[in-house]
Amino acid sequence: MSYFEELIGAKRYLNRWLRYRLAAPRVPKLERLFLGKTVVVAGSAPFSTRPQGWNDSFRVLTINASQVAAQGWLTQPPDATLMQFNQIEGLNAAAVEVRKVLQHKKTGLLCVLNWRHELDRLVRGLDTFDYRYNELMLISRHERIALMHRMTGRLNLELEGEAKWSNGIVGAALALASGAANVILTGIDPLSKGHQYNSLNLSRMHQETDLQALQIFREQRLPVFTADPHVAQSTKLALWPSRGI
């Protein structure tokens, strides 16, 4: 990397850091949903598992279209869903497929990440594929950065797409910040490829940062588990149910 490129990179970092500090974002929390609960964060990796001991006291947080991937064991609408902004209007194949499989589906609380337009435009976009919800919440980029800073101790200003945390990891952090007693990941595998709800076989982004987050969760002895045996083996994350629970 040349001196000129390093200078541009440093300027970008400083500008992003200043905007973040001036915004003074809150850390988003969903305590009324997750406080003291066992929260299942369901992603869309090709394999997912219904957690052992499943009962009505568990809460479910799905990522983008993962409620479709988990429909074999998820018989009710999820309690909450994290959806990336580009799923609403994006024209790439992945976003189009998300809207297709979520048509006429429902969630409890819909949290849309990094939406940059007026709220009416978001509502109209959701109406185009009849995705229903009881409540709607926006989480800005700065709020997502603050959340991940709080839960990992790493200030990731998301300067590059590959450097971001995946939405599945953000979901786990959100559950932890909201006081969840346990967080169970299923269908969240940083080393996998493709998505269960489509056949596009797209490579999974954020592999390095997601593995880093899981390592931090382990080192901090946070109550984060995986319901997927192959993920426990490959990432060293504790397999649910943990001993003593």
Side-chain angles (χ1 to χ4, degrees), residues 43-190:
S44 56
F47 300 97
S48 63
T49 309
R50 175 174 174 165
Q52 291 189 40
W54 174 272
N55 61 58
D56 291 342
S57 71
F58 285 27
R59 298 291 181 263
V60 178
L61 172 64
T62 57
I63 309 300
N64 293 323
S66 65
Q67 67 189 87
V68 177
Q71 62 187 355
W73 55 269
L74 182 59
T75 57
Q76 300 291 332
D79 298 283
T81 296
L82 285 187
M83 187 175 293
Q84 188 68 14
F85 74 97
N86 63 308
Q87 310 296 358
I88 311 300
E89 299 178 341
L91 299 178
N92 61 303
V96 170
E97 191 69 14
V98 165
R99 294 195 294 272
K100 177 181 177 182
V101 300
L102 284 183
Q103 192 169 24
H104 310 310
K105 297 294 190 296
K106 181 180 180 180
T107 190
L109 172 64
L110 175 59
C111 302
V112 179
L113 298 167
N114 204 22
W115 183 255
R116 302 172 185 176
H117 308 292
E118 68 275 8
L119 186 60
D120 287 348
R121 179 168 169 174
L122 172 58
V123 172
R124 291 194 302 270
L126 293 165
D127 285 345
T128 62
F129 57 106
D130 189 30
Y131 190 68
R132 291 161 286 168
Y133 47 88
N134 295 332
E135 298 178 74
L136 186 59
M137 174 181 176
L138 302 182
I139 297 178
S140 71
R141 169 180 285 174
H142 287 148
E143 288 171 335
R144 179 175 62 192
I145 291 173
L147 168 67
M148 297 308 299
H149 190 194
R150 171 73 60 83
M151 300 314 304
T152 68
R154 308 291 175 89
L155 179 58
N156 182 345
L157 293 176
E158 303 182 353
L159 292 174
E160 306 295 340
E162 189 62 33
K164 297 177 183 179
W165 315 98
S166 73
N167 291 330
I169 295 299
V170 172
L174 181 59
L176 290 168
S178 302
N182 301 290
V183 178
I184 308 171
L185 310 182
T186 184
I188 295 176
D189 180 3

Side-chain angles (χ1 to χ4, degrees), residues 22 33 107 152 163 166 205 217:
L22 289 172
L33 282 178
T107 190
T152 68
S166 73
M205 298 179 65
F217 293 159

